[in-house]
Amino acid sequence: MLFDTHAHLNDSAFDLDRDALIAALPQKGVGYVLNAGCSLASSKECISLAEKYPFLYASVGSHPDSADEVCEELLETYLQMSHHPKVKAIGEIGLDYYYEDFDRQIQKNAFQMQMELARQADLPVIVHERDAHGDGMDVVCKFPDVTGVFHCYSGEAEMAKQLVKKGWYIGFTGVLTFKNARKAVETASAIPLERIVLETDCPYMAPVPYRGKRNDPGYLCHTAQKLAEIKGLLVEKIIEITTENAKRLYRI
């Protein structure tokens, strides 16, 4: 069974058919889904959704876009939420320098504070890092005892190899199936399969042949098939190994 290690099934894109879609996932070969929080509000939604389905799990944290909400009071709230049995990670947290109008120092402070939170909670982290490779690595290196996954990985293969050596996992989305996904394919080729996990980041990043449409965990099989081609293995083996990786990552 596939493990979608990063989804946003609480997103409004699923408002019309959320329950029916989730209930049908096991029949589509998806046995586990981690629904990632992006703010206090969405983290609460993720927990509520995880409580409804035995194969859904949650993370709590503030995305770089919500970095300005991170304060000591919020961190204490997240720490209490992290004790919930369905909460398996702190995230998604990190840095996003794609847009110029977000204060980078606020993002870095929020990232570091939530890395410290993960250390206190003894949980892995889900890192969102876009166009901030140097600063992202600087923060990671300050917390050698905190690891997790760089989700929707967009850096170079060399950086991924450094992360793997530090005990991190690398997450690949449907981007791996895109014709112009040179860096993603190079990275997937360069790192050991035992450190790769699969994700949809739904409703975004739908794989070929659904690119541009709403993504959902039922499409994860296409990313698994592409990874099988890259690694020269049967897709069944890819599913088996990446699912075991995800269980190890999230301690399930």
Side-chain angles (χ1 to χ4, degrees), residues 26-61:
Q27 285 72 48
K28 295 181 178 180
V30 180
Y32 311 85
V33 180
L34 190 291
N35 218 38
C38 294
S39 63
L40 176 58
S42 69
S43 295
K44 289 178 178 178
E45 292 171 356
C46 289
I47 292 175
S48 295
L49 204 55
E51 290 174 337
K52 294 179 65 176
Y53 297 92
F55 55 89
L56 282 192
Y57 298 89
S59 68
V60 299

Short mmCIF file of all heavy atoms in Angstrom, two decimals, residues 26-61:
data_model
loop_
_atom_site.label_atom_id
_atom_site.label_comp_id
_atom_site.label_asym_id
_atom_site.label_seq_id
_atom_site.Cartn_x
_atom_site.Cartn_y
_atom_site.Cartn_z
N PRO A 26 -8.21 3.46 0.21
CA PRO A 26 -7.66 2.11 0.32
C PRO A 26 -7.92 1.25 -0.91
O PRO A 26 -7.08 0.42 -1.28
CB PRO A 26 -8.39 1.56 1.56
CG PRO A 26 -8.68 2.77 2.39
CD PRO A 26 -9.04 3.82 1.37
N GLN A 27 -9.07 1.46 -1.56
CA GLN A 27 -9.37 0.71 -2.78
C GLN A 27 -8.48 1.13 -3.94
O GLN A 27 -8.34 0.41 -4.93
CB GLN A 27 -10.84 0.89 -3.17
CG GLN A 27 -11.82 0.09 -2.31
CD GLN A 27 -11.95 0.66 -0.90
OE1 GLN A 27 -12.13 1.86 -0.74
NE2 GLN A 27 -11.83 -0.20 0.11
N LYS A 28 -7.84 2.31 -3.81
CA LYS A 28 -6.92 2.80 -4.84
C LYS A 28 -5.47 2.49 -4.49
O LYS A 28 -4.55 2.99 -5.13
CB LYS A 28 -7.11 4.31 -5.03
CG LYS A 28 -8.48 4.68 -5.58
CD LYS A 28 -8.60 6.19 -5.78
CE LYS A 28 -9.95 6.57 -6.37
NZ LYS A 28 -10.08 8.03 -6.55
N GLY A 29 -5.27 1.68 -3.46
CA GLY A 29 -3.92 1.28 -3.10
C GLY A 29 -3.19 2.22 -2.17
O GLY A 29 -1.97 2.10 -2.00
N VAL A 30 -3.90 3.17 -1.58
CA VAL A 30 -3.29 4.12 -0.65
C VAL A 30 -3.67 3.71 0.77
O VAL A 30 -4.83 3.78 1.16
CB VAL A 30 -3.74 5.57 -0.93
CG1 VAL A 30 -3.09 6.53 0.06
CG2 VAL A 30 -3.41 5.96 -2.36
N GLY A 31 -2.66 3.30 1.54
CA GLY A 31 -2.94 2.79 2.88
C GLY A 31 -2.68 3.75 4.01
O GLY A 31 -3.14 3.54 5.12
N TYR A 32 -1.94 4.85 3.70
CA TYR A 32 -1.56 5.82 4.73
C TYR A 32 -1.46 7.21 4.09
O TYR A 32 -0.97 7.34 2.97
CB TYR A 32 -0.21 5.49 5.36
CG TYR A 32 -0.04 4.07 5.80
CD1 TYR A 32 0.38 3.09 4.89
CD2 TYR A 32 -0.29 3.69 7.12
CE1 TYR A 32 0.55 1.78 5.28
CE2 TYR A 32 -0.12 2.37 7.52
CZ TYR A 32 0.29 1.42 6.60
OH TYR A 32 0.45 0.11 6.98
N VAL A 33 -1.89 8.23 4.85
CA VAL A 33 -1.75 9.62 4.40
C VAL A 33 -1.38 10.48 5.60
O VAL A 33 -2.01 10.38 6.66
CB VAL A 33 -3.05 10.17 3.77
CG1 VAL A 33 -2.85 11.62 3.33
CG2 VAL A 33 -3.51 9.32 2.59
N LEU A 34 -0.37 11.32 5.44
CA LEU A 34 -0.02 12.32 6.45
C LEU A 34 -0.53 13.66 5.94
O LEU A 34 -0.09 14.15 4.90
CB LEU A 34 1.49 12.37 6.67
CG LEU A 34 2.10 13.19 7.84
CD1 LEU A 34 1.94 14.70 7.65
CD2 LEU A 34 1.53 12.77 9.17
N ASN A 35 -1.47 14.24 6.67
CA ASN A 35 -2.04 15.53 6.32
C ASN A 35 -1.26 16.61 7.07
O ASN A 35 -1.22 16.61 8.30
CB ASN A 35 -3.52 15.56 6.73
CG ASN A 35 -4.38 16.29 5.72
OD1 ASN A 35 -4.16 16.18 4.51
ND2 ASN A 35 -5.36 17.02 6.19
N ALA A 36 -0.61 17.50 6.33
CA ALA A 36 0.34 18.44 6.92
C ALA A 36 -0.31 19.78 7.28
O ALA A 36 -0.98 20.40 6.45
CB ALA A 36 1.50 18.68 5.96
N GLY A 37 -0.06 20.22 8.50
CA GLY A 37 -0.53 21.53 8.92
C GLY A 37 0.33 22.65 8.36
O GLY A 37 1.54 22.46 8.14
N CYS A 38 -0.28 23.80 8.16
CA CYS A 38 0.43 24.98 7.62
C CYS A 38 0.28 26.21 8.52
O CYS A 38 0.91 27.23 8.28
CB CYS A 38 -0.09 25.33 6.23
SG CYS A 38 0.25 24.10 4.98
N SER A 39 -0.59 26.11 9.50
CA SER A 39 -0.89 27.20 10.42
C SER A 39 -1.60 26.59 11.61
O SER A 39 -1.92 25.38 11.61
CB SER A 39 -1.81 28.23 9.74
OG SER A 39 -3.06 27.62 9.42
N LEU A 40 -1.89 27.39 12.62
CA LEU A 40 -2.63 26.86 13.76
C LEU A 40 -3.99 26.35 13.32
O LEU A 40 -4.40 25.24 13.69
CB LEU A 40 -2.79 27.93 14.84
CG LEU A 40 -3.62 27.53 16.06
CD1 LEU A 40 -3.02 26.30 16.75
CD2 LEU A 40 -3.76 28.69 17.02
N ALA A 41 -4.69 27.14 12.50
CA ALA A 41 -6.03 26.75 12.07
C ALA A 41 -6.00 25.46 11.27
O ALA A 41 -6.79 24.53 11.51
CB ALA A 41 -6.66 27.87 11.24
N SER A 42 -5.09 25.35 10.29
CA SER A 42 -5.05 24.15 9.46
C SER A 42 -4.54 22.94 10.24
O SER A 42 -4.95 21.80 9.99
CB SER A 42 -4.20 24.38 8.21
OG SER A 42 -2.83 24.52 8.53
N SER A 43 -3.66 23.16 11.22
CA SER A 43 -3.18 22.06 12.05
C SER A 43 -4.34 21.45 12.85
O SER A 43 -4.43 20.21 12.98
CB SER A 43 -2.09 22.55 13.00
OG SER A 43 -0.94 22.96 12.28
N LYS A 44 -5.21 22.28 13.35
CA LYS A 44 -6.39 21.78 14.06
C LYS A 44 -7.29 20.99 13.11
O LYS A 44 -7.83 19.94 13.48
CB LYS A 44 -7.17 22.94 14.67
CG LYS A 44 -6.48 23.60 15.84
CD LYS A 44 -7.30 24.78 16.37
CE LYS A 44 -6.64 25.41 17.58
NZ LYS A 44 -7.40 26.59 18.09
N GLU A 45 -7.43 21.47 11.87
CA GLU A 45 -8.23 20.75 10.88
C GLU A 45 -7.63 19.39 10.57
O GLU A 45 -8.35 18.40 10.41
CB GLU A 45 -8.34 21.58 9.59
CG GLU A 45 -9.15 22.85 9.72
CD GLU A 45 -9.04 23.75 8.50
OE1 GLU A 45 -8.28 23.42 7.57
OE2 GLU A 45 -9.72 24.79 8.48
N CYS A 46 -6.31 19.35 10.47
CA CYS A 46 -5.63 18.08 10.16
C CYS A 46 -5.87 17.05 11.25
O CYS A 46 -6.10 15.86 10.96
CB CYS A 46 -4.14 18.32 9.98
SG CYS A 46 -3.70 19.22 8.47
N ILE A 47 -5.82 17.47 12.50
CA ILE A 47 -6.07 16.54 13.60
C ILE A 47 -7.51 16.05 13.57
O ILE A 47 -7.77 14.85 13.73
CB ILE A 47 -5.74 17.20 14.95
CG1 ILE A 47 -4.23 17.44 15.07
CG2 ILE A 47 -6.24 16.34 16.11
CD1 ILE A 47 -3.82 18.19 16.33
N SER A 48 -8.44 16.96 13.35
CA SER A 48 -9.86 16.57 13.30
C SER A 48 -10.11 15.56 12.20
O SER A 48 -10.85 14.59 12.39
CB SER A 48 -10.74 17.81 13.08
OG SER A 48 -10.66 18.69 14.18
N LEU A 49 -9.48 15.76 11.05
CA LEU A 49 -9.66 14.84 9.94
C LEU A 49 -9.01 13.49 10.25
O LEU A 49 -9.58 12.43 9.95
CB LEU A 49 -9.04 15.45 8.68
CG LEU A 49 -9.57 14.97 7.31
CD1 LEU A 49 -11.07 15.13 7.21
CD2 LEU A 49 -8.88 15.75 6.20
N ALA A 50 -7.84 13.52 10.87
CA ALA A 50 -7.15 12.27 11.22
C ALA A 50 -7.94 11.44 12.22
O ALA A 50 -7.84 10.20 12.22
CB ALA A 50 -5.76 12.58 11.76
N GLU A 51 -8.70 12.10 13.06
CA GLU A 51 -9.51 11.38 14.04
C GLU A 51 -10.63 10.58 13.39
O GLU A 51 -11.14 9.63 13.99
CB GLU A 51 -10.09 12.37 15.06
CG GLU A 51 -9.05 12.96 16.00
CD GLU A 51 -9.60 14.03 16.91
OE1 GLU A 51 -10.64 14.65 16.56
OE2 GLU A 51 -9.00 14.27 17.97
N LYS A 52 -11.00 10.95 12.17
CA LYS A 52 -12.12 10.29 11.50
C LYS A 52 -11.73 9.03 10.75
O LYS A 52 -12.58 8.19 10.46
CB LYS A 52 -12.78 11.27 10.52
CG LYS A 52 -13.45 12.46 11.16
CD LYS A 52 -14.05 13.39 10.12
CE LYS A 52 -15.18 12.75 9.34
NZ LYS A 52 -15.81 13.70 8.39
N TYR A 53 -10.45 8.92 10.38
CA TYR A 53 -10.01 7.80 9.54
C TYR A 53 -8.77 7.15 10.14
O TYR A 53 -7.78 7.83 10.44
CB TYR A 53 -9.70 8.28 8.13
CG TYR A 53 -10.89 8.85 7.41
CD1 TYR A 53 -11.16 10.21 7.46
CD2 TYR A 53 -11.77 8.02 6.70
CE1 TYR A 53 -12.27 10.74 6.81
CE2 TYR A 53 -12.87 8.54 6.05
CZ TYR A 53 -13.12 9.90 6.11
OH TYR A 53 -14.22 10.42 5.47
N PRO A 54 -8.76 5.83 10.29
CA PRO A 54 -7.61 5.16 10.92
C PRO A 54 -6.31 5.27 10.13
O PRO A 54 -5.24 5.16 10.71
CB PRO A 54 -8.07 3.70 11.02
CG PRO A 54 -9.15 3.55 10.01
CD PRO A 54 -9.84 4.88 9.96
N PHE A 55 -6.39 5.52 8.82
CA PHE A 55 -5.18 5.57 7.99
C PHE A 55 -4.70 7.00 7.73
O PHE A 55 -3.75 7.22 6.99
CB PHE A 55 -5.40 4.85 6.65
CG PHE A 55 -6.57 5.35 5.86
CD1 PHE A 55 -6.44 6.39 4.95
CD2 PHE A 55 -7.83 4.77 6.02
CE1 PHE A 55 -7.51 6.85 4.21
CE2 PHE A 55 -8.92 5.22 5.27
CZ PHE A 55 -8.76 6.27 4.37
N LEU A 56 -5.34 7.99 8.36
CA LEU A 56 -4.91 9.38 8.24
C LEU A 56 -4.13 9.80 9.48
O LEU A 56 -4.50 9.45 10.60
CB LEU A 56 -6.10 10.32 8.08
CG LEU A 56 -6.80 10.45 6.74
CD1 LEU A 56 -7.74 11.65 6.78
CD2 LEU A 56 -5.83 10.59 5.60
N TYR A 57 -3.05 10.55 9.26
CA TYR A 57 -2.25 11.10 10.34
C TYR A 57 -2.09 12.61 10.11
O TYR A 57 -2.49 13.13 9.06
CB TYR A 57 -0.89 10.40 10.40
CG TYR A 57 -1.02 8.93 10.69
CD1 TYR A 57 -1.16 8.00 9.66
CD2 TYR A 57 -1.04 8.47 12.00
CE1 TYR A 57 -1.32 6.65 9.93
CE2 TYR A 57 -1.20 7.12 12.28
CZ TYR A 57 -1.34 6.21 11.24
OH TYR A 57 -1.51 4.87 11.51
N ALA A 58 -1.51 13.29 11.08
CA ALA A 58 -1.43 14.75 11.01
C ALA A 58 -0.07 15.26 11.47
O ALA A 58 0.67 14.56 12.18
CB ALA A 58 -2.52 15.38 11.87
N SER A 59 0.25 16.48 11.04
CA SER A 59 1.38 17.21 11.61
C SER A 59 0.88 18.59 12.01
O SER A 59 -0.17 19.04 11.54
CB SER A 59 2.52 17.33 10.59
OG SER A 59 2.15 18.17 9.50
N VAL A 60 1.62 19.25 12.88
CA VAL A 60 1.25 20.59 13.33
C VAL A 60 2.43 21.53 13.15
O VAL A 60 3.57 21.17 13.43
CB VAL A 60 0.77 20.60 14.80
CG1 VAL A 60 -0.47 19.72 14.95
CG2 VAL A 60 1.86 20.13 15.75
N GLY A 61 2.14 22.72 12.66
CA GLY A 61 3.21 23.69 12.46
C GLY A 61 2.77 24.82 11.57
O GLY A 61 1.67 24.80 11.00
#
